[in-house]
């Protein structure tokens, strides 16, 4: 699936990845050289051939070399003769040498004449020969071995720089050819060359700006390699609104509408783009109408994404594994990660040892950025990445040139740590990553590798407190499911379940979770509000279906429901909340949110700041207590100087939070109907009549809501109005038929849960039929509770 070879000393390591075979050019193998062989004669024989120096001088890469560099290069080149029809390279062979044509012609992808090079690409950037090269006539060649090239990089770096520039130009041309074919359709060589001449290459270093928000949109760009970030100014400050990678277009909206740039575009890492001016694109699209179809599709996708209809993905990403704890098994982790990523797309795996084995030069991966070989090395890595959706770079355990090269190429950095080690930032972290990351810096995520005997993680807060992170993950070595979950997060395919509030109707979530598990749909991230927060914490803790029913039955059925007890003087609320706090503590203990195997969040409403509060750290019981603090019924939760109440006041179905936290496939479960509390009498009954109705329900012919129903429904009003927006931004919207149950009818647990289960089972089956790519991705295998 695209792995570079393991280091030579790795047990059982293949020589090359399966897609290249295992053939290699062998020294001593006989070729029709007129009696010669592939064995290398002693250096210095080049001076016996008076035409060699002229041929080297006439070669474009070497035409500007000084006399000393030219003499040194010629002294390392070996003259050879090949009869017509003889083989220089066979397809699939490795690159241990490059050749210069002195006299005669070769035939490969095209005719190769005097002064031209062949094989320099494979020598500098590795890989196998893409096509055979034969002698069209009797030819004289000059061979330069890969080992000699390494020596030349030290003694005459201008030689290698010249070759590096040639290789980079050739790789750019190949990448551009693939790009233009995708935009304009099949192109003849002459058309391709004409388009290339009219385009402008743009090269950006990490941190450089392509254009700024408000600039005129006089051109559009296509990313050929690298990663860029769109930043939009606004309140409360600048925000990243888009990430762009290989083959993505930039600025096409303003290009066609004449509107100014809507965001500032900056390079996260070294990037190469091609620039289309308006006159050039208009002429090309007139000649090639397919180009407008391509751009139209892009515009539709961009508009859908802005409207929330398209699920964001993280295609074509470079993932860098940086070990930050002593003795953590980075190689073992990287191999497991690559395996998990392969179900989402072709994945390239590169480490220093694998790269050296692939290139055939020990230590070449440690080439510093100041070396002339670095140009070709980076160009080669760019080219290798272009054939894969994901690239996993394994850093060394120390600050080496290879580690720095990996970090420079990163879109996401996985800080790999042993949870038993010192949680403070390592020297390697401080030297490579500095302090607070900038807005466009590569995203950083902490991965804590636990022994297989770990029950629940602990102490995670100490790791998070001293780092600025975009997230963290807990993995166990013996759980393939944990690595698969990480793979889904890193590829934008994590499944997030959002559970809404609605009093006792929220018990339907118990049945929905059961249906998800039976359908083989994993829950990678779960979050909710109010009753959804309470139920959502249960699968995050690893409770199975039976445990969830038992715990909720003990809380809501076996004893008097909390909403009808624990009364107090109605100064702050009708109920004190002490009983519910004790129940939450007995149920969740002192487990903290950040220590859960499955990522979890819940939402409360900050009365002090009039904003939603997303709980991602701290004791589960306290976060849930804040999320269910129904205003006027339960006492608010005090956090610092702030008062927190039920999250349903501001965000009862937080699909937007789920999307922001990494939910790729978002399933929202809404248990609050749009119409509710319908009555048939013009006036409510007197309090005494209502009391008699509660005491003798068989004598009651008509129903009116009580104070709890009114308060709970009032709390939900603002959030219910946002439901239409939520429907547009999630992948699956479920609304179980629970309207017939009252919001405080907790004793109907089994009936409510069954209603949620039946509705979800049918909806999920239909969803998977409509989304075969999701069914294939998940394998439809039932997912055990963690």
């Amino acid at each position: 699936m695209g792995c570079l070879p393991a280091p030579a000393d790795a047990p059982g390591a293949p020589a090359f990845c399966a897609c290249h075979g295992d053939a290699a050019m062998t020294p001593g193998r006989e070729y029709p050289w007129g009696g010669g062989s592939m064995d290398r004669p002693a250096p210095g024989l080049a001076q016996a051939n008076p035409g060699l120096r002229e041929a080297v001088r006439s070669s474009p890469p070497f035409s500007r070399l000084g006399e000393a560099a030219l003499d040194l290069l010629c002294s390392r080149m070996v003259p050879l003769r090949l009869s017509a029809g003889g083989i220089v390279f066979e397809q699939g062979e490795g690159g241990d040498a490059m050749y210069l044509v002195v006299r005669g012609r070769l035939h490969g992808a095209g005719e190769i004449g005097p002064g031209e090079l062949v094989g320099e690409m494979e020598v500098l950037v590795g890989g196998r020969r893409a096509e055979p090269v034969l002698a069209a006539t009797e030819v004289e060649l000059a061979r330069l071995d890969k080992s000699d090239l390494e020596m030349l990089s030290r003694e005459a770096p201008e030689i290698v720089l010249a070759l590096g520039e040639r290789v980079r130009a050739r790789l750019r041309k190949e990448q551009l050819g693939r790009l233009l074919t995708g935009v304009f359709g099949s192109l003849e060589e002459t058309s391709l060359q004409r388009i290339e001449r009219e385009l402008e290459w743009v090269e950006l270093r990490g941190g450089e700006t392509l254009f700024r928000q408000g600039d005129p949109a006089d051109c559009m760009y296509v990313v050929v390699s690298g990663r860029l970030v769109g930043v939009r100014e606004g309140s409360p400050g600048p925000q990243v609104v888009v990430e762009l990678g290989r083959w993505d277009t930039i600025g096409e909206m303003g290009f066609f509408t004449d509107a100014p740039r809507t965001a500032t575009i900056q390079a996260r890492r070294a990037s190469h783009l091609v620039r289309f001016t308006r006159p050039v694109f208009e002429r090309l699209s007139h000649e090639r109408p397919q180009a407008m179809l391509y751009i139209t599709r892009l515009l539709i996708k961009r508009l859908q994404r802005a409207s929330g209809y398209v699920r964001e993905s993280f295609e074509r990403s470079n993932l860098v594994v940086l070990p930050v704890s002593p003795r953590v098994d980075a190689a073992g982790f990287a191999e497991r990660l690559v395996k998990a990523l392969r179900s989402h797309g072709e994945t390239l795996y590169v480490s220093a040892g694998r790269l050296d084995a692939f290139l055939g030069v020990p230590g070449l991966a440690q080439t510093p950025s100041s070396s002339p070989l670095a140009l070709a090395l980076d160009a080669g890595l760019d080219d290798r990445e272009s054939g894969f959706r994901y690239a996993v770079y394994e850093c060394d355990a120390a600050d080496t040139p290879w580690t720095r090269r990996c970090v420079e190429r990163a879109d996401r950095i996985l800080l790999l740590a042993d949870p038993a080690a010192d949680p403070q930032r390592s020297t390697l972290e401080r030297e490579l990553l500095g302090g607070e990351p900038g807005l466009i810096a590569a995203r950083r995520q902490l991965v804590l590798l636990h022994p297989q005997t770990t029950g629940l993680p602990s102490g995670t807060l100490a790791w998070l407190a001293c780092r600025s992170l975009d997230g963290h993950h807990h993995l166990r070595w013996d759980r393939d499911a944990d690595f698969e979950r990480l793979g889904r997060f890193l590829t934008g395919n994590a499944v997030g379940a959002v559970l809404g509030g609605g009093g006792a109707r929220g018990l339907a979530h118990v049945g929905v979770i059961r249906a998800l598990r039976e359908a083989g749909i994993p829950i990678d991230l779960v979050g909710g509000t109010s009753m959804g927060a309470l139920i959502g914490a249960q699968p995050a803790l690893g409770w199975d279906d039976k445990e969830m029913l038992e715990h909720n039955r003990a809380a809501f059925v076996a004893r008097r429901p909390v909403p009808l007890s624990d009364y107090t003087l109605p100064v702050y609320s009708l109920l004190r909340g002490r009983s519910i706090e004790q129940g939450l503590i007995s149920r969740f203990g002192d487990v903290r949110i950040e220590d859960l195997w499955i990522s979890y969040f819940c939402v409360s409403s900050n009365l002090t700041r009039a904003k939603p509060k997303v709980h991602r750290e701290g004791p589960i019981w306290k976060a849930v207590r804040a999320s269910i603090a129904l205003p006027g019924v339960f006492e608010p939760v005090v956090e610092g100087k702030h008062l927190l109440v039920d999250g349903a006041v501001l965000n009862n179905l937080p699909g937007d939070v789920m999307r922001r936290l990494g939910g790729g496939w978002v399933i929202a479960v809404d248990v609050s109907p749009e119409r509710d509390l319908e009555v048939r009498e013009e006036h409510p009954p007197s309090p005494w009549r209502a009391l008699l109705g509660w005491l003798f329900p068989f004598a009651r012919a008509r129903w009116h809501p009580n104070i709890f129903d009114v308060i709970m429904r009032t709390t939900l009003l603002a959030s219910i109005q946002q439901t239409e927006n939520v429907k547009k931004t999630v992948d699956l919207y479920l609304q179980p038929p629970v309207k017939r149950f009252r919001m405080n009818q907790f004793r109907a647990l089994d009936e409510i849960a069954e209603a949620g289960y039946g509705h979800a089972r049918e909806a999920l089956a239909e969803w998977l039929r409509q989304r075969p790519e999701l069914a294939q991705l998940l394998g439809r295998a039932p997912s055990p509770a963690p």
Side-chain angles (χ1 to χ4, degrees):
M1 295 294 288
C3 287
L4 289 176
D9 57 351
F16 280 86
C17 53
C19 57
H20 294 301
D22 58 1
M25 182 177 283
T26 307
R29 169 180 165 190
E30 292 295 327
Y31 283 78
W33 299 103
S37 77
M38 289 298 293
D39 286 327
R40 181 186 181 280
L45 296 182
Q47 284 78 358
N49 187 341
L52 176 60
R53 185 183 179 88
E54 287 71 20
V56 174
R57 172 67 77 186
S58 67
S59 180
F62 307 131
S63 60
R64 296 184 180 181
L65 291 180
E67 294 302 318
L70 189 64
D71 289 341
L72 183 60
L73 175 59
C74 289
S75 72
R76 304 306 300 180
M77 302 186 86
V78 180
L80 300 167
R81 183 176 293 110
L82 183 61
S83 306
I87 302 172
V88 182
F89 303 130
E90 289 184 348
Q91 185 176 3
E93 287 186 345
D96 61 347
M98 56 180 280
Y99 297 86
L100 172 72
V101 179
V102 178
R103 184 179 61 83
R105 291 191 172 276
L106 301 175
H107 179 74
E111 292 293 323
I112 305 167
E116 295 187 69
L117 296 172
V118 61
E120 77 281 6
M121 177 81 74
E122 292 78 12
V123 168
L124 282 171
V125 302
R128 298 287 186 170
R129 312 292 185 182
E131 65 276 324
V133 177
L134 309 175
T137 65
E138 181 177 321
V139 293
E140 292 181 7
L141 305 171
R143 167 175 168 148
L144 181 65
D145 283 349
K146 182 183 289 188
S147 56
D148 287 323
L149 194 64
E150 185 181 6
M151 179 276 295
L152 290 172
S153 71
R154 296 189 298 269
E155 299 188 15
E158 61 269 34
I159 296 174
V160 182
L161 280 172
L163 282 173
E165 288 288 359
R166 174 182 171 85
V167 166
R168 185 166 70 162
R170 180 174 161 187
L171 290 174
R172 276 184 173 182
K173 182 175 180 178
E174 292 177 358
Q175 292 172 338
L176 182 60
R178 292 194 291 268
L179 167 65
L180 294 177
T181 299
V183 177
F184 297 104
S186 180
L187 293 168
E188 304 83 9
E189 181 63 25
T190 54
S191 298
L192 181 60
Q193 291 176 355
R194 181 171 59 82
I195 295 174
E196 288 176 357
R197 287 193 298 267
E198 295 180 311
L199 298 180
E200 177 187 347
W201 278 95
V202 178
E203 182 174 349
L204 298 174
R205 295 190 298 271
E208 288 190 328
T209 299
L210 180 65
F211 55 72
R212 296 193 175 279
Q213 183 174 336
D215 286 351
D218 56 350
C219 60
M220 62 175 285
Y221 303 83
V222 181
V223 183
V224 178
S225 66
R227 195 79 167 181
L228 298 101
V229 173
V231 178
R232 184 171 297 160
E233 298 291 339
S235 178
Q239 291 184 331
V240 173
V241 293
V242 67
E243 290 189 24
L244 301 154
R246 291 191 302 272
W247 312 141
D248 283 334
T249 58
I250 301 176
E252 72 277 7
M253 293 289 286
F255 183 75
F256 288 101
T257 63
D258 289 324
R261 304 296 191 188
T262 59
T264 297
I265 302 295
Q266 294 177 278
R268 168 169 287 170
R269 54 186 172 91
S271 303
H272 297 93
L273 308 88
V274 287
R275 179 176 181 264
F276 287 86
T277 61
R278 196 182 306 277
V280 169
F281 189 84
E282 287 177 351
R283 184 179 58 75
L284 293 175
S285 59
H286 178 74
E287 297 175 1
R288 299 271 179 173
Q290 179 179 339
M292 288 309 302
L293 178 61
Y294 177 86
I295 294 298
T296 300
R297 289 171 178 166
L298 289 175
L299 288 173
I300 292 173
K301 186 176 181 180
R302 187 67 56 87
L303 289 170
Q304 288 177 333
R305 183 174 296 163
S307 302
Y309 286 95
V310 174
R311 186 175 53 87
E312 289 285 355
S313 65
F314 301 95
E315 292 189 356
R316 303 184 179 93
S317 292
N318 286 355
L319 310 170
V320 170
V321 178
L322 179 65
V324 296
S325 297
R327 297 178 296 279
V328 68
D329 186 1
F333 168 80
E335 289 174 0
R336 297 280 297 277
L337 176 61
V338 168
K339 180 181 177 182
L341 291 172
R342 284 176 179 165
S343 61
H344 304 278
E346 293 288 326
T347 304
L348 176 69
Y349 176 19
V350 195
S351 66
R354 289 172 178 268
L355 183 60
D356 287 348
F358 182 70
L359 297 177
V361 180
L364 192 61
Q366 301 298 346
T367 301
S369 58
S370 58
S371 167
L373 282 172
L375 183 67
L377 187 59
D378 285 329
L381 289 171
D382 283 344
D383 186 62
R384 287 290 291 164
E385 289 173 11
S386 67
F388 298 86
R389 178 169 290 182
Y390 307 107
V392 175
Y393 284 87
E394 177 197 331
C395 295
D396 298 328
D399 185 0
T400 64
W402 171 249
T403 296
R404 289 187 173 271
R405 175 166 274 106
C406 291
V407 172
E408 288 170 358
R409 304 184 71 83
D411 297 321
R412 294 189 176 200
I413 300 175
L414 304 180
L415 304 176
L416 191 63
D418 176 1
D422 183 355
Q424 296 304 309
R425 296 181 73 208
S426 65
T427 302
L428 185 62
E429 281 183 87
R430 292 194 298 270
E431 291 179 351
L432 291 179
L433 304 181
E436 191 77 13
L439 196 61
I440 67 169
R443 300 184 182 186
R444 304 175 189 178
Q445 299 190 3
L446 177 69
V447 177
L448 292 166
L449 283 176
H450 297 267
Q452 58 192 43
T453 56
T454 304
L456 267 179
S458 61
T460 309
L461 184 61
W463 289 88
L464 305 181
C466 56
R467 293 172 175 84
S468 294
L469 300 168
D470 291 288
H472 71 280
H473 306 272
H474 294 286
L475 275 70
R476 290 157 288 194
W477 273 112
D478 64 327
R479 297 289 184 104
D480 287 341
D482 288 2
F483 284 86
E484 291 166 2
R485 181 169 65 246
L486 176 62
R488 289 191 292 272
F489 269 108
L490 295 176
T491 60
N493 286 294
V495 179
V498 183
L499 311 180
R505 292 164 175 168
L507 295 171
H509 299 315
V510 175
V512 172
I513 291 167
R514 173 188 165 198
L516 285 168
R517 287 171 171 167
E518 289 184 3
I521 298 176
I523 300 176
D524 299 314
L525 176 61
V526 61
T529 297
S530 197
M531 195 65 176
L534 176 66
I535 303 298
Q538 298 171 15
L541 279 163
W543 295 359
D544 60 24
D545 299 332
K546 182 179 179 181
E547 287 176 301
M548 291 180 65
L549 277 173
E550 288 177 350
H551 279 282
N552 288 298
R553 185 172 288 114
F556 297 114
V557 179
R559 63 190 182 89
R560 194 180 185 191
V562 170
L564 299 180
S565 62
D566 203 19
Y567 288 100
T568 185
L569 290 175
V571 177
Y572 305 110
S573 59
L574 295 175
L575 305 175
R576 289 183 297 176
R578 186 172 302 172
S579 175
I580 196 169
E581 285 183 7
Q582 292 172 351
L584 292 171
I585 292 172
S586 67
R587 192 174 311 172
F588 299 132
D590 59 356
V591 178
R592 298 178 63 88
I593 294 174
E594 65 270 19
D595 291 329
L596 295 171
W597 292 116
I598 293 178
S599 295
Y600 168 81
F601 73 89
C602 66
V603 177
S604 65
S605 299
N606 189 320
L607 286 183
T608 308
R609 301 185 61 188
K611 290 183 178 181
K613 162 75 175 179
V614 179
H615 298 263
R616 293 283 284 155
E617 296 176 359
I620 298 176
W621 76 263
K622 189 171 184 179
V624 172
R625 169 67 177 84
S627 188
I628 64 175
L630 191 63
V633 177
F634 296 117
E635 290 179 348
V637 171
V638 178
E639 185 177 85
K641 297 182 179 180
H642 297 205
L643 289 178
L644 306 180
V645 297
D646 198 315
V649 174
L650 294 176
N651 196 347
N652 189 52
L653 195 62
D656 57 331
V657 178
M658 178 63 74
R659 187 72 78 191
R660 189 169 66 247
L661 293 178
W665 299 91
V666 178
I667 302 170
V669 187
D670 184 9
V671 294
S672 297
E674 190 173 341
R675 292 174 60 90
D676 199 15
L677 302 188
E678 296 177 350
V679 296
R680 298 177 181 177
E681 294 179 328
E682 185 176 351
H683 300 286
S686 68
W688 294 108
R689 182 182 169 192
L691 179 61
L692 288 174
W694 297 341
L695 294 175
F696 304 101
F698 57 86
R700 182 179 57 188
R702 297 173 181 174
W703 174 83
H704 274 271
N706 59 35
I707 186 173
F708 296 104
D709 295 321
V710 173
I711 292 177
M712 293 177 76
R713 182 65 178 177
T714 304
T715 300
L716 291 168
L717 286 182
S719 293
I720 289 174
Q721 296 300 312
Q722 301 174 12
T723 300
E724 288 302 317
N725 291 331
V726 174
K727 291 180 181 178
K728 296 175 183 178
T729 60
V730 301
D731 297 282
L732 179 63
Y733 174 81
L734 301 176
Q735 191 172 42
V738 292
K739 182 179 178 181
R740 67 183 184 275
F741 300 101
R742 297 179 64 178
M743 284 185 279
N744 64 346
Q745 198 174 344
F746 293 94
R747 294 187 184 278
L749 163 65
D750 293 289
E751 296 94 325
I752 297 173
E754 190 63 29
Y757 170 73
H759 175 79
R761 184 178 59 178
E762 294 181 6
L764 290 171
E766 179 62 25
W767 187 46
L768 289 173
R769 280 194 295 269
Q770 294 177 358
R771 304 302 296 261
E773 74 278 16
L774 176 61
Q776 182 180 3
L777 176 69
L778 301 177
R780 297 301 303 278
S783 153

